Structure formats: C-alpha cells, structure tokens
Amino acid sequence: MPQQSKYSDSQFEAIMHDVIIALEKNKANRDLSLMVLGNVITSIFHQQVPENQRQQMAEQFTQVLLKSINGK
C-alpha cells in the first residue's frame, strides 16, 4: 500500500519479507494466507486501537487496501 510513512523503506521491507517467508515456509495458499493476515489485522486492532476508534480506522484501512489493489 504505497503511502507516505514515518517508517523507513528498509524496516518495512524487512518485516514484509519475514511475513512472506513465514507464509511460504508453511505452504499457505491464497485463502489460508488471507485468513492469517486478516486475523493478524484483527488482533492488531483489538490490542493497539482504542475501541472507539476501531470502526473508523478499519474503514480507512479498507479504503487504502481497495485503492492499492485497484491501482488508484
């Protein structure tokens, strides 16, 4: 999801690489990969986002994801 970030490209790339390696190591197909990533996202929302902000942040995340996969 290309966006201006406060995190360095190298930090982002290293973490993304680790996640992809873990999915590949476990031979996770598309459906399993999406289920796992979805549950990770849900866990992050529950652990790190105040309840009164979750809905709005989830909607923003969804919009960014849609823009990213649609190339807009």
Side-chain angles (χ1 to χ4, degrees), residues 30-46:
R30 177 193 59 208
D31 292 341
L32 180 56
S33 295
L34 291 172
M35 286 172 51
V36 168
L37 294 171
N39 283 354
V40 168
I41 292 166
T42 298
S43 178
I44 291 168
F45 273 91
H46 282 283

Side-chain angles (χ1 to χ4, degrees), residues 23-24 64:
L23 294 171
E24 289 175 351
V64 170

Side-chain angles (χ1 to χ4, degrees), residues 40-68:
V40 168
I41 292 166
T42 298
S43 178
I44 291 168
F45 273 91
H46 282 283
Q47 293 177 13
Q48 299 182 24
V49 179
E51 188 173 356
N52 65 344
Q53 295 177 13
R54 288 181 193 152
Q55 179 74 30
Q56 179 184 3
M57 188 171 278
E59 289 172 0
Q60 290 171 337
F61 179 85
T62 302
Q63 291 303 311
V64 170
L65 176 61
L66 288 170
K67 285 179 183 178
S68 176

